[in-house]
Amino acid sequence: MRPMLRPVFPAAVLAVLLCVLAAVAGAVPVTFTASAPGAGKVCLAGEFNGWSDSANPMTKAGDAWTLVMDLAPGSYQYKFVVDGNWKQDAGNPEAMPDGFGGNNSVVKVAEGVASVKVGGAAAAAVAAAPAAKAAPAMPAAGGAVPVTFRCEAPGAGKVCLAGEFNSWSDSANPMTKDGDAWTLVMSLAP
């Protein structure tokens, strides 16, 4: 009698697919917006694409150009390439020296956010469930930053925010119920 063989190939394929899906699951859609009226072509270049000036062409909508990229949580330097000219994102005050006398723009993708928008007039992030996470905001010149915290807790009767900013008090910052979610906006120093 022949021994029964188990199909190994499908299990191996399933394991690889699960690993790939787990890696992709942490990625966050980041919307880049460049204001470039009259431009014929705009591309996004940055650490995420080896600073390629053509790998990520943006789509024109009126005077703005946009591109959505899935990025893992982290900090990334980037520039727009407008008709062959490298430009810092004028709609994003986050920057670092580029080593050539100018600056690269910087986008920070926090863990737990649902999406991030940078450039143009839109610079916001939407926090994701289930844990309360801070959504990145643009700082006022030298001042506090409005940070929106959001927590999905459908059955909760009360949710409070605790952190370094309130000495980890479990009652100092009650959140407001909005459907199944709880939110709180706090002004925090950079």
Side-chain angles (χ1 to χ4, degrees):
M1 179 178 237
R2 292 174 77 185
M4 185 166 241
L5 298 175
R6 282 198 256 153
V8 176
F9 180 73
V13 170
L14 181 60
V16 170
L17 285 174
L18 289 175
C19 289
V20 169
L21 289 175
V24 173
V28 175
V30 179
T31 303
F32 293 87
T33 303
S35 178
K41 181 178 181 182
V42 179
C43 292
L44 178 65
E47 294 178 309
F48 38 77
N49 69 5
W51 292 100
S52 171
D53 63 355
S54 61
N56 296 104
M58 300 179 78
T59 304
K60 186 174 184 175
D63 288 339
W65 296 74
T66 61
L67 176 69
V68 178
M69 288 190 73
D70 289 335
L71 297 176
S75 181
Y76 302 90
Q77 295 183 40
Y78 69 96
K79 279 192 175 179
F80 297 124
V81 183
V82 180
D83 291 332
N85 297 306
W86 293 70
K87 306 278 185 182
Q88 181 180 347
D89 183 351
N92 180 1
E94 294 284 331
M96 293 185 69
D98 65 6
F100 299 100
N103 287 317
N104 290 329
S105 297
V106 177
V107 59
K108 294 178 181 174
V109 180
E111 286 193 38
V113 296
S115 64
V116 176
K117 296 181 181 185
V118 293
V126 179
K133 300 284 183 173
M138 303 313 290
V145 177
V147 179
T148 301
F149 294 86
R150 177 181 165 90
C151 177
E152 297 277 338
K158 181 178 182 183
V159 176
C160 294
L161 178 66
E164 291 176 316
F165 44 79
N166 69 6
S167 300
W168 295 98
S169 169
D170 61 359
S171 61
N173 295 101
M175 300 178 81
T176 304
K177 188 169 184 170
D178 181 16
D180 287 341
W182 295 78
T183 61
L184 177 67
V185 178
M186 292 184 69
S187 292
L188 300 175

